[in-house]
Amino acid sequence: MERGAIPLDELAGEFDLQATVESGQSYLWNRADGGMYDELVAYGGDHWYETVVPRIDGVSDEQAVLRVRQVGDPATGRLEWESNVDAVPLLTHLLRLDDDLDAILDATPDDPLLRRAYDAYRGMRLVRDPPFACLVSFICSAQMRVSRIHGMQMAMAREYGDRIEFDGETYYAFPTPAQLAERTEDELRELSLGYRAPYVQRSAEMVASGEAHPDEALGLDYEDARESLTRFVGVGDKVADCVLLFSLGFLEAVPLDTWIQTAISDHYPDCERGNYRETSRAIRERFGGEYAGYAQTYVFYYLRAGGDGGD
């Protein structure tokens, strides 16, 4: 087993692990104490978080078990990690530790709601999840609480993913496309996927067979990339935006979920254009364009966790 620590004062900007992994961006991490999503205001904790990461081109050549916790505050603390590999490249990639967070937030508009959200959750970063697992996670997200979405992903890993022994504990990798494609709709329904089961099964078949892959969106212009992802069964514009933002690095993407629609209604009514694509274009511009997805994620979490949004 390898161990190490990343000093947070070496990053460009602050970092908060709990807010980053419990804010509804990723459903692929688990909290070792079983308390994932126990409370809405998830910030500043020192809990251990665990995940199994597939091989990632240019980052890691092998499947990795990864355990990490934060000690100290977002500016001067450290990330302690344990893994079967050198975890620094993986953590840098998955948690976007290479982002200049100060510059990104400075590049977004000076807006009262954004300021309150940034102040409440300073150090929260976007994630960079593996594309297939991210795709399945957000196919499962429709009309579901974050704790239920997370439970579905953990159940699929436990039932269908690789079983890995590490440091005396058993971990489960998220299923590969082939592993999920082999399952029947009824089997997936037994894991509480409900009407989402055929969407997950068919989308897994598309990836496993080579018919389509989410990372084919890379290199496309933003709106073409979103269109590319809607080829998958059960993927509309919002789910596509989530995959673009939380996996593929399109930091301008703004998924129009319930909370962002509420923000538009209460704070930015002139951005409502009557359809997803035009409204999305308008709120992206209001949030500053290039890094609008960062603004979106802070506002989403701030409002979901009870921020009153008052001026």
Short mmCIF file of all heavy atoms in Angstrom, two decimals, residues 171-229:
data_model
loop_
_atom_site.label_atom_id
_atom_site.label_comp_id
_atom_site.label_asym_id
_atom_site.label_seq_id
_atom_site.Cartn_x
_atom_site.Cartn_y
_atom_site.Cartn_z
N TYR A 171 -13.50 -3.90 -1.85
CA TYR A 171 -14.02 -2.76 -2.59
C TYR A 171 -14.60 -3.27 -3.90
O TYR A 171 -14.23 -4.35 -4.39
CB TYR A 171 -12.92 -1.73 -2.86
CG TYR A 171 -12.36 -1.13 -1.61
CD1 TYR A 171 -11.31 -1.76 -0.92
CD2 TYR A 171 -12.84 0.06 -1.10
CE1 TYR A 171 -10.79 -1.21 0.24
CE2 TYR A 171 -12.33 0.62 0.06
CZ TYR A 171 -11.32 -0.03 0.73
OH TYR A 171 -10.80 0.51 1.88
N TYR A 172 -15.51 -2.48 -4.48
CA TYR A 172 -16.17 -2.89 -5.72
C TYR A 172 -16.03 -1.78 -6.75
O TYR A 172 -16.38 -0.63 -6.50
CB TYR A 172 -17.64 -3.19 -5.45
CG TYR A 172 -17.86 -4.32 -4.48
CD1 TYR A 172 -17.98 -4.06 -3.12
CD2 TYR A 172 -17.89 -5.65 -4.91
CE1 TYR A 172 -18.16 -5.09 -2.21
CE2 TYR A 172 -18.07 -6.68 -4.02
CZ TYR A 172 -18.19 -6.41 -2.66
OH TYR A 172 -18.35 -7.44 -1.77
N ALA A 173 -15.54 -2.15 -7.92
CA ALA A 173 -15.39 -1.19 -9.01
C ALA A 173 -16.74 -1.00 -9.70
O ALA A 173 -17.57 -1.91 -9.75
CB ALA A 173 -14.38 -1.70 -10.03
N PHE A 174 -16.95 0.19 -10.23
CA PHE A 174 -18.15 0.40 -11.04
C PHE A 174 -18.09 -0.52 -12.25
O PHE A 174 -17.03 -0.70 -12.84
CB PHE A 174 -18.26 1.86 -11.48
CG PHE A 174 -19.60 2.20 -12.06
CD1 PHE A 174 -20.66 2.48 -11.22
CD2 PHE A 174 -19.80 2.21 -13.43
CE1 PHE A 174 -21.92 2.76 -11.75
CE2 PHE A 174 -21.05 2.48 -13.95
CZ PHE A 174 -22.11 2.76 -13.11
N PRO A 175 -19.21 -1.12 -12.64
CA PRO A 175 -19.17 -2.09 -13.75
C PRO A 175 -18.66 -1.47 -15.04
O PRO A 175 -18.90 -0.29 -15.34
CB PRO A 175 -20.63 -2.52 -13.90
CG PRO A 175 -21.28 -2.18 -12.60
CD PRO A 175 -20.55 -0.99 -12.06
N THR A 176 -17.97 -2.28 -15.81
CA THR A 176 -17.58 -1.88 -17.15
C THR A 176 -18.81 -1.87 -18.05
O THR A 176 -19.85 -2.47 -17.72
CB THR A 176 -16.55 -2.85 -17.72
OG1 THR A 176 -17.17 -4.13 -17.87
CG2 THR A 176 -15.32 -2.96 -16.80
N PRO A 177 -18.73 -1.24 -19.22
CA PRO A 177 -19.86 -1.32 -20.15
C PRO A 177 -20.27 -2.76 -20.46
O PRO A 177 -21.47 -3.07 -20.51
CB PRO A 177 -19.34 -0.59 -21.39
CG PRO A 177 -18.35 0.39 -20.85
CD PRO A 177 -17.68 -0.32 -19.71
N ALA A 178 -19.30 -3.65 -20.66
CA ALA A 178 -19.63 -5.04 -20.96
C ALA A 178 -20.33 -5.72 -19.80
O ALA A 178 -21.28 -6.49 -19.99
CB ALA A 178 -18.36 -5.80 -21.34
N GLN A 179 -19.88 -5.44 -18.59
CA GLN A 179 -20.52 -6.05 -17.42
C GLN A 179 -21.96 -5.60 -17.25
O GLN A 179 -22.83 -6.40 -16.91
CB GLN A 179 -19.71 -5.73 -16.16
CG GLN A 179 -18.40 -6.49 -16.07
CD GLN A 179 -17.50 -6.00 -14.95
OE1 GLN A 179 -17.51 -4.82 -14.59
NE2 GLN A 179 -16.70 -6.89 -14.39
N LEU A 180 -22.24 -4.34 -17.51
CA LEU A 180 -23.62 -3.87 -17.40
C LEU A 180 -24.47 -4.32 -18.59
O LEU A 180 -25.66 -4.61 -18.44
CB LEU A 180 -23.66 -2.34 -17.30
CG LEU A 180 -23.63 -1.73 -15.90
CD1 LEU A 180 -23.85 -0.22 -15.98
CD2 LEU A 180 -24.67 -2.36 -14.98
N ALA A 181 -23.87 -4.37 -19.76
CA ALA A 181 -24.62 -4.77 -20.96
C ALA A 181 -25.12 -6.21 -20.84
O ALA A 181 -26.13 -6.57 -21.46
CB ALA A 181 -23.76 -4.60 -22.20
N GLU A 182 -24.42 -7.03 -20.06
CA GLU A 182 -24.82 -8.42 -19.88
C GLU A 182 -26.04 -8.59 -18.98
O GLU A 182 -26.65 -9.65 -18.96
CB GLU A 182 -23.66 -9.22 -19.28
CG GLU A 182 -22.48 -9.41 -20.21
CD GLU A 182 -21.30 -10.05 -19.50
OE1 GLU A 182 -21.38 -10.24 -18.25
OE2 GLU A 182 -20.30 -10.35 -20.17
N ARG A 183 -26.39 -7.58 -18.24
CA ARG A 183 -27.51 -7.68 -17.30
C ARG A 183 -28.83 -7.50 -18.03
O ARG A 183 -28.91 -6.82 -19.06
CB ARG A 183 -27.41 -6.66 -16.18
CG ARG A 183 -26.08 -6.50 -15.52
CD ARG A 183 -25.26 -7.75 -15.37
NE ARG A 183 -25.94 -8.84 -14.65
CZ ARG A 183 -25.37 -9.99 -14.36
NH1 ARG A 183 -24.12 -10.23 -14.75
NH2 ARG A 183 -26.05 -10.92 -13.70
N THR A 184 -29.86 -8.08 -17.49
CA THR A 184 -31.19 -7.91 -18.06
C THR A 184 -31.87 -6.71 -17.42
O THR A 184 -31.49 -6.24 -16.35
CB THR A 184 -32.05 -9.16 -17.82
OG1 THR A 184 -32.31 -9.29 -16.41
CG2 THR A 184 -31.36 -10.41 -18.35
N GLU A 185 -32.90 -6.24 -18.10
CA GLU A 185 -33.68 -5.14 -17.55
C GLU A 185 -34.26 -5.53 -16.19
O GLU A 185 -34.25 -4.73 -15.25
CB GLU A 185 -34.80 -4.79 -18.52
CG GLU A 185 -35.69 -3.65 -18.05
CD GLU A 185 -36.80 -3.36 -19.04
OE1 GLU A 185 -36.59 -3.58 -20.26
OE2 GLU A 185 -37.87 -2.91 -18.59
N ASP A 186 -34.74 -6.75 -16.05
CA ASP A 186 -35.32 -7.18 -14.77
C ASP A 186 -34.28 -7.17 -13.66
O ASP A 186 -34.58 -6.80 -12.52
CB ASP A 186 -35.93 -8.58 -14.90
CG ASP A 186 -37.24 -8.58 -15.69
OD1 ASP A 186 -37.83 -7.49 -15.85
OD2 ASP A 186 -37.66 -9.66 -16.14
N GLU A 187 -33.05 -7.59 -13.98
CA GLU A 187 -32.00 -7.58 -12.96
C GLU A 187 -31.71 -6.16 -12.49
O GLU A 187 -31.53 -5.92 -11.29
CB GLU A 187 -30.72 -8.22 -13.52
CG GLU A 187 -30.80 -9.72 -13.66
CD GLU A 187 -29.58 -10.31 -14.34
OE1 GLU A 187 -29.09 -9.70 -15.33
OE2 GLU A 187 -29.11 -11.37 -13.90
N LEU A 188 -31.68 -5.22 -13.41
CA LEU A 188 -31.42 -3.84 -13.04
C LEU A 188 -32.60 -3.25 -12.27
O LEU A 188 -32.41 -2.46 -11.34
CB LEU A 188 -31.10 -3.02 -14.28
CG LEU A 188 -29.79 -3.36 -14.98
CD1 LEU A 188 -29.66 -2.63 -16.30
CD2 LEU A 188 -28.59 -3.06 -14.08
N ARG A 189 -33.79 -3.64 -12.61
CA ARG A 189 -34.95 -3.16 -11.85
C ARG A 189 -34.90 -3.65 -10.41
O ARG A 189 -35.36 -2.96 -9.49
CB ARG A 189 -36.25 -3.64 -12.52
CG ARG A 189 -36.61 -2.86 -13.78
CD ARG A 189 -37.95 -3.32 -14.34
NE ARG A 189 -38.28 -2.65 -15.59
CZ ARG A 189 -38.87 -1.47 -15.67
NH1 ARG A 189 -39.22 -0.82 -14.56
NH2 ARG A 189 -39.14 -0.92 -16.85
N GLU A 190 -34.35 -4.83 -10.18
CA GLU A 190 -34.23 -5.35 -8.82
C GLU A 190 -33.30 -4.49 -7.96
O GLU A 190 -33.35 -4.56 -6.73
CB GLU A 190 -33.73 -6.80 -8.85
CG GLU A 190 -34.78 -7.78 -9.35
CD GLU A 190 -34.25 -9.20 -9.44
OE1 GLU A 190 -33.07 -9.42 -9.08
OE2 GLU A 190 -35.01 -10.08 -9.89
N LEU A 191 -32.46 -3.69 -8.60
CA LEU A 191 -31.58 -2.76 -7.87
C LEU A 191 -32.24 -1.39 -7.73
O LEU A 191 -31.56 -0.41 -7.43
CB LEU A 191 -30.24 -2.63 -8.59
CG LEU A 191 -29.41 -3.91 -8.72
CD1 LEU A 191 -28.08 -3.61 -9.38
CD2 LEU A 191 -29.20 -4.57 -7.36
N SER A 192 -33.54 -1.33 -7.95
CA SER A 192 -34.34 -0.11 -7.77
C SER A 192 -34.10 0.93 -8.85
O SER A 192 -34.37 2.12 -8.62
CB SER A 192 -34.11 0.50 -6.38
OG SER A 192 -34.46 -0.43 -5.36
N LEU A 193 -33.63 0.52 -10.02
CA LEU A 193 -33.47 1.48 -11.11
C LEU A 193 -34.81 1.86 -11.75
O LEU A 193 -34.89 2.88 -12.42
CB LEU A 193 -32.52 0.93 -12.18
CG LEU A 193 -31.05 1.30 -12.01
CD1 LEU A 193 -30.46 0.64 -10.78
CD2 LEU A 193 -30.24 0.93 -13.24
N GLY A 194 -35.83 1.04 -11.56
CA GLY A 194 -37.14 1.37 -12.09
C GLY A 194 -37.13 1.55 -13.60
O GLY A 194 -36.48 0.79 -14.33
N TYR A 195 -37.82 2.59 -14.08
CA TYR A 195 -37.92 2.81 -15.53
C TYR A 195 -36.58 3.16 -16.16
O TYR A 195 -36.44 3.15 -17.40
CB TYR A 195 -38.94 3.90 -15.84
CG TYR A 195 -38.54 5.30 -15.43
CD1 TYR A 195 -37.75 6.08 -16.27
CD2 TYR A 195 -38.93 5.83 -14.21
CE1 TYR A 195 -37.37 7.36 -15.91
CE2 TYR A 195 -38.55 7.12 -13.84
CZ TYR A 195 -37.78 7.88 -14.68
OH TYR A 195 -37.41 9.14 -14.32
N ARG A 196 -35.59 3.46 -15.34
CA ARG A 196 -34.26 3.79 -15.86
C ARG A 196 -33.49 2.54 -16.29
O ARG A 196 -32.49 2.64 -17.00
CB ARG A 196 -33.45 4.53 -14.80
CG ARG A 196 -34.17 5.78 -14.27
CD ARG A 196 -33.64 6.18 -12.90
NE ARG A 196 -34.53 7.14 -12.25
CZ ARG A 196 -35.62 6.81 -11.56
NH1 ARG A 196 -35.95 5.53 -11.42
NH2 ARG A 196 -36.37 7.73 -11.01
N ALA A 197 -33.94 1.36 -15.86
CA ALA A 197 -33.21 0.11 -16.13
C ALA A 197 -32.96 -0.12 -17.61
O ALA A 197 -31.81 -0.40 -18.01
CB ALA A 197 -33.95 -1.06 -15.50
N PRO A 198 -33.96 -0.03 -18.48
CA PRO A 198 -33.66 -0.25 -19.90
C PRO A 198 -32.76 0.81 -20.49
O PRO A 198 -31.99 0.53 -21.43
CB PRO A 198 -35.05 -0.24 -20.56
CG PRO A 198 -35.93 0.49 -19.61
CD PRO A 198 -35.41 0.16 -18.24
N TYR A 199 -32.80 2.05 -19.97
CA TYR A 199 -31.92 3.10 -20.46
C TYR A 199 -30.46 2.74 -20.15
O TYR A 199 -29.57 2.89 -21.00
CB TYR A 199 -32.24 4.44 -19.83
CG TYR A 199 -33.67 4.92 -19.99
CD1 TYR A 199 -34.18 5.89 -19.14
CD2 TYR A 199 -34.50 4.43 -20.99
CE1 TYR A 199 -35.48 6.36 -19.28
CE2 TYR A 199 -35.81 4.88 -21.14
CZ TYR A 199 -36.28 5.85 -20.27
OH TYR A 199 -37.57 6.30 -20.41
N VAL A 200 -30.22 2.31 -18.92
CA VAL A 200 -28.86 1.94 -18.51
C VAL A 200 -28.38 0.74 -19.32
O VAL A 200 -27.25 0.73 -19.84
CB VAL A 200 -28.82 1.63 -17.00
CG1 VAL A 200 -27.48 0.99 -16.61
CG2 VAL A 200 -29.05 2.91 -16.19
N GLN A 201 -29.23 -0.27 -19.45
CA GLN A 201 -28.82 -1.49 -20.15
C GLN A 201 -28.51 -1.20 -21.62
O GLN A 201 -27.48 -1.63 -22.14
CB GLN A 201 -29.94 -2.54 -20.02
CG GLN A 201 -29.49 -3.97 -20.30
CD GLN A 201 -29.50 -4.31 -21.78
OE1 GLN A 201 -30.22 -3.68 -22.58
NE2 GLN A 201 -28.70 -5.29 -22.17
N ARG A 202 -29.36 -0.44 -22.28
CA ARG A 202 -29.15 -0.16 -23.70
C ARG A 202 -27.95 0.77 -23.90
O ARG A 202 -27.15 0.56 -24.84
CB ARG A 202 -30.41 0.46 -24.31
CG ARG A 202 -30.26 0.89 -25.75
CD ARG A 202 -29.94 -0.27 -26.68
NE ARG A 202 -29.68 0.21 -28.04
CZ ARG A 202 -28.61 -0.10 -28.74
NH1 ARG A 202 -27.68 -0.92 -28.24
NH2 ARG A 202 -28.45 0.38 -29.96
N SER A 203 -27.78 1.77 -23.05
CA SER A 203 -26.62 2.66 -23.19
C SER A 203 -25.32 1.90 -22.96
O SER A 203 -24.33 2.13 -23.65
CB SER A 203 -26.75 3.84 -22.21
OG SER A 203 -27.81 4.69 -22.61
N ALA A 204 -25.33 0.95 -22.00
CA ALA A 204 -24.15 0.11 -21.78
C ALA A 204 -23.86 -0.73 -23.02
O ALA A 204 -22.69 -0.90 -23.41
CB ALA A 204 -24.36 -0.78 -20.56
N GLU A 205 -24.90 -1.27 -23.65
CA GLU A 205 -24.71 -2.03 -24.89
C GLU A 205 -24.08 -1.17 -25.97
O GLU A 205 -23.20 -1.65 -26.72
CB GLU A 205 -26.05 -2.56 -25.40
CG GLU A 205 -26.59 -3.77 -24.68
CD GLU A 205 -27.87 -4.28 -25.32
OE1 GLU A 205 -28.50 -3.52 -26.09
OE2 GLU A 205 -28.23 -5.43 -25.05
N MET A 206 -24.52 0.08 -26.08
CA MET A 206 -23.98 0.97 -27.10
C MET A 206 -22.48 1.17 -26.92
O MET A 206 -21.71 1.16 -27.89
CB MET A 206 -24.70 2.31 -27.06
CG MET A 206 -26.15 2.24 -27.49
SD MET A 206 -27.04 3.82 -27.25
CE MET A 206 -26.28 4.83 -28.54
N VAL A 207 -22.05 1.33 -25.67
CA VAL A 207 -20.62 1.54 -25.40
C VAL A 207 -19.85 0.24 -25.59
O VAL A 207 -18.78 0.20 -26.21
CB VAL A 207 -20.41 2.12 -23.99
CG1 VAL A 207 -18.92 2.32 -23.72
CG2 VAL A 207 -21.15 3.45 -23.84
N ALA A 208 -20.39 -0.86 -25.04
CA ALA A 208 -19.69 -2.15 -25.11
C ALA A 208 -19.50 -2.61 -26.55
O ALA A 208 -18.46 -3.20 -26.88
CB ALA A 208 -20.46 -3.20 -24.31
N SER A 209 -20.46 -2.33 -27.41
CA SER A 209 -20.39 -2.78 -28.80
C SER A 209 -19.57 -1.86 -29.69
O SER A 209 -19.27 -2.20 -30.84
CB SER A 209 -21.80 -2.89 -29.38
OG SER A 209 -22.38 -1.60 -29.51
N GLY A 210 -19.21 -0.68 -29.18
CA GLY A 210 -18.50 0.29 -29.99
C GLY A 210 -19.40 1.19 -30.81
O GLY A 210 -18.92 2.01 -31.60
N GLU A 211 -20.71 1.07 -30.60
CA GLU A 211 -21.66 1.91 -31.34
C GLU A 211 -21.50 3.38 -30.99
O GLU A 211 -21.63 4.26 -31.85
CB GLU A 211 -23.08 1.45 -31.02
CG GLU A 211 -24.17 2.24 -31.71
CD GLU A 211 -25.56 1.75 -31.34
OE1 GLU A 211 -25.69 0.64 -30.78
OE2 GLU A 211 -26.53 2.50 -31.61
N ALA A 212 -21.19 3.66 -29.74
CA ALA A 212 -21.01 5.05 -29.29
C ALA A 212 -20.25 5.03 -27.98
O ALA A 212 -20.25 4.03 -27.25
CB ALA A 212 -22.35 5.75 -29.11
N HIS A 213 -19.59 6.14 -27.68
CA HIS A 213 -18.89 6.28 -26.40
C HIS A 213 -19.01 7.73 -25.96
O HIS A 213 -18.90 8.64 -26.80
CB HIS A 213 -17.42 5.88 -26.52
CG HIS A 213 -16.76 5.63 -25.19
ND1 HIS A 213 -16.44 6.66 -24.33
CD2 HIS A 213 -16.41 4.47 -24.57
CE1 HIS A 213 -15.90 6.15 -23.23
NE2 HIS A 213 -15.87 4.83 -23.35
N PRO A 214 -19.24 7.97 -24.67
CA PRO A 214 -19.39 9.37 -24.25
C PRO A 214 -18.19 10.24 -24.55
O PRO A 214 -18.34 11.44 -24.81
CB PRO A 214 -19.67 9.27 -22.74
CG PRO A 214 -19.29 7.88 -22.35
CD PRO A 214 -19.48 7.04 -23.56
N ASP A 215 -16.98 9.68 -24.52
CA ASP A 215 -15.82 10.54 -24.75
C ASP A 215 -15.66 10.95 -26.21
O ASP A 215 -14.76 11.73 -26.55
CB ASP A 215 -14.53 9.92 -24.19
CG ASP A 215 -14.09 8.65 -24.87
OD1 ASP A 215 -14.65 8.30 -25.94
OD2 ASP A 215 -13.21 7.97 -24.31
N GLU A 216 -16.55 10.47 -27.09
CA GLU A 216 -16.55 10.97 -28.47
C GLU A 216 -16.97 12.44 -28.53
O GLU A 216 -16.76 13.10 -29.55
CB GLU A 216 -17.47 10.11 -29.33
CG GLU A 216 -16.94 8.72 -29.57
CD GLU A 216 -17.95 7.79 -30.23
OE1 GLU A 216 -19.11 8.21 -30.43
OE2 GLU A 216 -17.56 6.65 -30.55
N ALA A 217 -17.54 12.94 -27.44
CA ALA A 217 -17.90 14.36 -27.39
C ALA A 217 -16.67 15.25 -27.24
O ALA A 217 -16.74 16.45 -27.54
CB ALA A 217 -18.86 14.61 -26.23
N LEU A 218 -15.58 14.69 -26.77
CA LEU A 218 -14.36 15.49 -26.61
C LEU A 218 -13.90 16.03 -27.95
O LEU A 218 -13.91 15.34 -28.96
CB LEU A 218 -13.25 14.63 -25.99
CG LEU A 218 -13.47 14.19 -24.54
CD1 LEU A 218 -12.45 13.14 -24.14
CD2 LEU A 218 -13.40 15.40 -23.60
N GLY A 219 -13.48 17.28 -27.96
CA GLY A 219 -13.00 17.90 -29.18
C GLY A 219 -14.08 18.57 -30.01
O GLY A 219 -13.76 19.28 -30.97
N LEU A 220 -15.35 18.33 -29.67
CA LEU A 220 -16.43 18.99 -30.38
C LEU A 220 -16.73 20.35 -29.75
O LEU A 220 -16.40 20.60 -28.59
CB LEU A 220 -17.70 18.13 -30.32
CG LEU A 220 -17.63 16.73 -30.95
CD1 LEU A 220 -18.96 16.01 -30.73
CD2 LEU A 220 -17.30 16.82 -32.43
N ASP A 221 -17.35 21.23 -30.51
CA ASP A 221 -17.88 22.45 -29.92
C ASP A 221 -18.94 22.07 -28.89
O ASP A 221 -19.59 21.02 -29.01
CB ASP A 221 -18.50 23.34 -31.00
CG ASP A 221 -17.44 23.93 -31.92
OD1 ASP A 221 -16.27 24.00 -31.50
OD2 ASP A 221 -17.81 24.30 -33.06
N TYR A 222 -19.14 22.96 -27.90
CA TYR A 222 -19.98 22.61 -26.76
C TYR A 222 -21.36 22.08 -27.17
O TYR A 222 -21.77 20.99 -26.75
CB TYR A 222 -20.11 23.82 -25.83
CG TYR A 222 -21.27 23.69 -24.87
CD1 TYR A 222 -21.28 22.69 -23.92
CD2 TYR A 222 -22.35 24.55 -24.95
CE1 TYR A 222 -22.34 22.54 -23.05
CE2 TYR A 222 -23.42 24.42 -24.09
CZ TYR A 222 -23.41 23.41 -23.14
OH TYR A 222 -24.47 23.28 -22.30
N GLU A 223 -22.11 22.79 -27.96
CA GLU A 223 -23.47 22.36 -28.26
C GLU A 223 -23.48 21.10 -29.14
O GLU A 223 -24.38 20.27 -29.02
CB GLU A 223 -24.28 23.50 -28.85
CG GLU A 223 -24.49 24.62 -27.84
CD GLU A 223 -25.63 25.56 -28.19
OE1 GLU A 223 -26.30 25.33 -29.21
OE2 GLU A 223 -25.83 26.53 -27.43
N ASP A 224 -22.47 20.92 -29.98
CA ASP A 224 -22.35 19.67 -30.73
C ASP A 224 -22.03 18.51 -29.79
O ASP A 224 -22.50 17.39 -30.00
CB ASP A 224 -21.25 19.80 -31.80
CG ASP A 224 -21.63 20.74 -32.93
OD1 ASP A 224 -22.84 20.95 -33.14
OD2 ASP A 224 -20.71 21.27 -33.58
N ALA A 225 -21.22 18.78 -28.77
CA ALA A 225 -20.88 17.75 -27.79
C ALA A 225 -22.14 17.32 -27.04
O ALA A 225 -22.35 16.12 -26.78
CB ALA A 225 -19.83 18.27 -26.82
N ARG A 226 -22.97 18.28 -26.67
CA ARG A 226 -24.22 17.94 -25.98
C ARG A 226 -25.10 17.08 -26.88
O ARG A 226 -25.68 16.08 -26.45
CB ARG A 226 -24.95 19.21 -25.56
CG ARG A 226 -26.21 18.93 -24.75
CD ARG A 226 -26.76 20.20 -24.13
NE ARG A 226 -27.11 21.19 -25.13
CZ ARG A 226 -27.40 22.46 -24.85
NH1 ARG A 226 -27.34 22.90 -23.59
NH2 ARG A 226 -27.72 23.31 -25.80
N GLU A 227 -25.19 17.46 -28.14
CA GLU A 227 -25.99 16.68 -29.09
C GLU A 227 -25.44 15.26 -29.24
O GLU A 227 -26.20 14.29 -29.33
CB GLU A 227 -25.99 17.38 -30.45
CG GLU A 227 -26.88 16.72 -31.49
CD GLU A 227 -28.35 16.83 -31.17
OE1 GLU A 227 -28.75 17.78 -30.46
OE2 GLU A 227 -29.11 15.94 -31.61
N SER A 228 -24.12 15.12 -29.23
CA SER A 228 -23.51 13.79 -29.34
C SER A 228 -23.95 12.89 -28.21
O SER A 228 -24.24 11.70 -28.42
CB SER A 228 -21.98 13.94 -29.35
OG SER A 228 -21.34 12.67 -29.28
N LEU A 229 -24.04 13.41 -27.01
CA LEU A 229 -24.39 12.59 -25.85
C LEU A 229 -25.86 12.20 -25.84
O LEU A 229 -26.24 11.19 -25.23
CB LEU A 229 -24.03 13.32 -24.56
CG LEU A 229 -22.54 13.41 -24.27
CD1 LEU A 229 -22.28 14.34 -23.10
CD2 LEU A 229 -21.95 12.04 -23.99
#
